[in-house]
Amino acid sequence: MNTAPLSQLQVFLAVACLRSFSGAARELGVSTPAVSQAVRQLEELLRVTLLIRTTRSVSLTDAGRRLLEGAGPALGQALATLTEVSAQPGETVGRVRLTVPRVAVPFVITPVLPTFRERHPRVEVEVAIEDRFVDIVAEGYDAGVRLSESIERDMVQVRLTDAFRFVVVGSPAYLARHGTPQRPEELLRHECLCFRLPSSGALYAWEFERGRRTWRVPVRGGVVTNDNQLRVTLAEQGLGLTYAFEPMVAEQLRTGRLQQVLEAYAPTVPGFFLYFPSRAQRSPALRLFVDTAKELVRQRFSV
């Protein structure tokens, strides 16, 4: 069988990673019809369907997934190497694609990017902000940021922050009107600012621990949002209690705009980690980003 042309393979990988023909066209600097034609030619050459297209979405067939997982890292490394050999001695060029949950952005991304770009101006950084669990290999990311308990075991993990707690907070005005809960189950009688899980669509049950005992409380309230900062802002305005990781509300707690409740039940999580497949360690651009993130995040992350 003839070897699939690299240009068509590159187009397919762009579509597969972005799940978008128009997005791939913008990234590659070509027209959307040209992208569609290249994918169609590759499918005809391989005699398989690689992508399922609808008016609203693009998804991979099993053959497409296997081609993405098998050829994506190899072609990415080859293209990165071609770029690297054009660099001046001592200079690194390339691109780092990251997937990051929204809650980690002000602590892991915002402190790092300005310094990283200043130090390494020829390394492009693409950051996708999304709270769903992402298969970074299948979707073409170089690395991701998560709490360690939700990282696959076969990934390399690099600690970025110390462990921290999740806490329940409310405004002094709210607590004066509604009282202060003393046990986790008392939250069921309070107005709580809720979060809907992107993976299942269910409302998140707040988690607590004390000694060896744990609780999952299915709190409810009149406001549901997937934005952490909005929940904190609404809590400051007295609309209800919210559940947040402690560094995010440290300033509000220090100034008294928010007060912590149920402190004895606050659970501790290991902290944020940068994670990536072991083969990604060969990327000079990713190694530089990892080193910069370790340096700057640990300096600035404090409760």
Side-chain angles (χ1 to χ4, degrees):
M1 183 181 68
N2 293 331
T3 301
L6 286 178
S7 60
Q8 295 172 1
L9 180 59
Q10 184 179 3
V11 171
F12 161 74
L13 292 174
V15 176
C17 290
L18 297 171
R19 298 294 198 273
S20 168
F21 279 77
S22 58
R26 287 191 297 271
E27 178 169 294
L28 297 171
V30 298
S31 67
T32 302
V35 169
S36 297
Q37 182 180 12
V39 172
R40 184 169 58 253
Q41 290 172 344
L42 183 60
E43 290 178 324
E44 291 173 354
L45 181 62
L46 299 177
R47 298 181 182 178
V48 295
T49 300
L50 299 172
L51 297 167
I52 299 174
R53 315 151 173 87
T54 70
T55 56
R56 294 172 177 255
S57 65
V58 175
S59 59
L60 294 167
T61 65
D62 181 64
R65 179 187 56 78
R66 287 187 284 117
L67 182 59
L68 173 62
E69 293 178 354
L75 183 59
Q77 184 63 37
L79 294 174
T81 302
L82 288 173
T83 304
E84 289 164 13
V85 298
S86 68
Q88 299 297 319
E91 180 183 47
T92 299
V93 297
R95 184 176 70 164
V96 177
R97 295 188 73 231
L98 304 169
T99 172
V100 182
R102 192 180 310 275
V103 70
V105 171
F107 302 95
V108 175
I109 298 301
T110 304
V112 173
L113 279 186
T115 299
F116 180 78
R117 289 286 296 147
E118 181 179 359
R119 293 177 180 177
H120 309 289
R122 294 196 62 190
V123 176
E124 299 176 3
V125 181
E126 179 179 340
V127 182
I129 308 302
E130 44 198 350
D131 291 322
R132 65 186 178 92
F133 289 132
V134 176
D135 184 336
I136 63 174
V137 174
E139 298 191 32
Y141 291 102
D142 298 298
V145 173
R146 285 188 196 166
L147 300 173
S148 67
E149 65 258 27
S150 53
I151 297 176
E152 296 83 353
R153 293 178 180 269
D154 59 346
M155 292 286 170
V156 177
Q157 300 185 31
V158 177
R159 175 178 287 278
L160 296 178
T161 73
D162 294 330
F164 52 77
R165 301 187 304 172
F166 275 88
V167 297
V168 178
V169 295
S171 71
Y174 174 88
L175 296 173
R177 291 196 308 271
H178 301 282
T180 301
Q182 301 299 318
R183 295 180 57 80
E185 51 267 31
E186 293 179 21
L187 291 170
L188 297 173
R189 299 195 294 269
H190 281 265
E191 180 75 11
C192 296
L193 302 164
C194 300
F195 170 74
R196 192 175 300 281
L197 295 168
S199 54
S200 65
L203 292 179
Y204 174 67
W206 293 3
E207 300 178 65
F208 301 93
E209 63 184 30
R210 188 172 189 179
R212 296 185 177 181
R213 187 177 176 188
T214 61
W215 290 259
R216 289 177 57 85
V217 182
V219 298
R220 292 295 182 268
V223 176
V224 178
T225 175
N226 66 350
D227 187 85
N228 296 287
Q229 188 55 59
L230 177 58
R231 288 199 302 277
V232 171
T233 299
L234 294 178
E236 288 185 68
Q237 295 172 348
L239 269 70
L241 302 174
T242 195
Y243 188 82
F245 79 100
E246 199 168 7
M248 187 174 185
V249 293
E251 177 63 18
Q252 291 90 337
L253 292 172
R254 186 186 66 81
T255 59
R257 302 199 304 274
L258 290 174
Q259 294 178 3
Q260 184 175 341
V261 301
L262 299 172
E263 183 170 6
Y265 299 89
T268 298
V269 294
F272 286 120
F273 288 72
L274 191 68
Y275 70 102
F276 45 86
S278 58
R279 62 174 174 264
Q281 295 180 92
R282 295 194 297 266
S283 166
L286 179 58
R287 288 200 302 270
L288 290 173
F289 186 86
V290 170
D291 291 342
T292 305
K294 287 167 58 179
E295 171 194 346
L296 297 179
V297 174
R298 294 302 291 271
Q299 288 178 5
R300 302 189 187 191
F301 190 94
S302 59
V303 177

